């Protein structure tokens, strides 16, 4: 990939990520509070629906940019050593590696954001300081593995669907991905529980607190809505910005 194309992918991915995260932030807040162990109302209900948005605003651009710059470069490198029959696998590997890199930025941002969303009376800076003081840098990476597993699963299918295919097929696969995000919702619940579980009691208590089957799918409706709408917004913004920059 030429340097100009790499920079275009980085900038387009960053702009698209910011647009999606800020436009759909209220849906994300509702989803997080529905998944909160303390319950939707105690977590804030519909109050302070933009609590935690500074964390998202700061982390969104580098997160999305990191994914797309990794994805585009890995895809470009693998293209020269693979046959056309392996093209789908190439996209899947590139997307997976992109998620691993992007989550190094996304997870700390998500930890601070989600804790702010369920504590709307506390500022983002105060939550960041409290996390670092009591849990150290490890506290900012709670739920990293489950986040990579969840996002990688969706991302592999999504990127495979949208790379080099007809627009109508993109639409169909985006709708399928919104359903897929619902079927793997338990991973999101686990990640959210790990993030909001302060202290060092570990994943066992986070899992054991999810005692009912229905609780594993808490927040699935706003998440599916966000995935569907986010796909359209992200794809359109990314492609348009990339075209303008090239």
């Amino acid at each position: 990939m030429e340097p100009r194309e790499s920079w275009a992918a980085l900038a387009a991915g960053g702009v698209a990520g910011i647009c999606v995260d800020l436009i759909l932030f209220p849906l994300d807040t509702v989803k997080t509070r529905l998944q909160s162990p303390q319950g939707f109302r105690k977590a804030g209900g519909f109050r302070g629906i933009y609590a935690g948005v500074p964390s998202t605003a700061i982390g969104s651009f580098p997160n999305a940019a990191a994914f797309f710059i990794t994805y585009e470069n890995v895809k470009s490198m693998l293209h020269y050593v693979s046959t056309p029959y392996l093209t789908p696998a190439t996209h899947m590997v590139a997307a997976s590696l992109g998620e691993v890199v992007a989550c190094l930025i996304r997870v700390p941002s998500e930890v601070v954001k989600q804790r702010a969303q369920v504590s709307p009376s506390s500022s983002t800076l105060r939550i960041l300081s409290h996390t670092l003081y009591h849990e150290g840098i490890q506290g900012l990476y709670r739920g990293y593995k489950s986040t990579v597993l969840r996002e990688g699963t969706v991302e592999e299918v999504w990127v495979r669907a949208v790379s080099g295919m007809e627009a109508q097929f993109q639409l169909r696969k985006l709708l399928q991905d919104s359903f897929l995000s619902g079927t793997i919702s338990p991973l999101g619940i686990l990640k959210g529980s790990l993030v909001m579980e302060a202290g060092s009691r570990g994943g066992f208590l986070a899992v054991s607190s999810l005692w009912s089957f229905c609780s594993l799918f808490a927040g699935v409706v706003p998440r599916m809505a966000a995935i569907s709408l986010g796909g359209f917004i992200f794809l359109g913004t990314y492609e348009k910005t990339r075209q303008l920059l090239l």
Side-chain angles (χ1 to χ4, degrees), residues 167-243:
Q168 59 205 20
F169 193 55
Q170 293 179 15
L171 171 60
R172 184 177 57 164
K173 292 302 290 183
L174 279 171
L175 294 176
Q176 290 177 359
D177 285 343
S178 69
F179 171 76
L180 176 63
S181 73
T183 63
I184 64 170
S185 181
L187 288 175
I189 306 294
L190 173 59
K191 187 268 290 184
S193 296
L194 288 169
V195 166
M196 291 179 278
E197 183 73 27
S200 58
R201 287 177 286 176
F204 178 75
L205 288 180
V207 175
S208 64
S209 67
L210 305 175
W211 55 272
S212 71
F213 178 79
C214 289
S215 68
L216 289 174
F217 290 88
V220 66
V221 173
R223 173 160 174 77
M224 289 174 69
I227 290 291
S228 299
L229 294 172
F232 292 118
I233 297 170
F234 198 107
L235 278 174
T237 306
Y238 174 76
E239 288 298 332
K240 190 64 177 178
T241 305
R242 193 165 182 269
Q243 290 172 10

Side-chain angles (χ1 to χ4, degrees), residues 70-91:
T70 304
Y71 168 70
E72 293 287 357
N73 278 284
V74 172
K75 184 179 69 173
S76 180
M77 288 187 293
L78 293 177
H79 175 72
Y80 293 107
V81 297
S82 64
T83 65
Y85 299 103
L86 295 177
T87 298
T90 297
H91 290 299

Side-chain angles (χ1 to χ4, degrees), residues 75-157:
K75 184 179 69 173
S76 180
M77 288 187 293
L78 293 177
H79 175 72
Y80 293 107
V81 297
S82 64
T83 65
Y85 299 103
L86 295 177
T87 298
T90 297
H91 290 299
M92 292 170 68
V93 170
S96 296
L97 291 177
E99 277 303 327
V100 170
V101 173
C103 282
L104 293 173
I105 301 171
R106 178 183 305 165
V107 172
S109 175
E110 283 275 311
V111 168
V112 175
K113 179 200 72 175
Q114 290 193 342
R115 292 183 179 183
Q117 286 174 328
V118 298
S119 304
S121 59
S122 299
S123 68
T124 299
L125 182 59
R126 182 178 180 183
I127 289 174
L128 174 61
S129 301
H130 183 273
T131 301
L132 288 173
Y133 181 79
H134 291 280
E135 301 176 55
I137 194 69
Q138 303 97 310
L140 293 177
Y141 283 93
R142 294 181 67 87
Y144 176 83
K145 293 180 181 178
S146 58
T147 301
V148 171
L149 181 60
R150 185 198 69 183
E151 297 297 333
T153 304
V154 174
E155 215 66 63
E156 284 180 2
V157 178

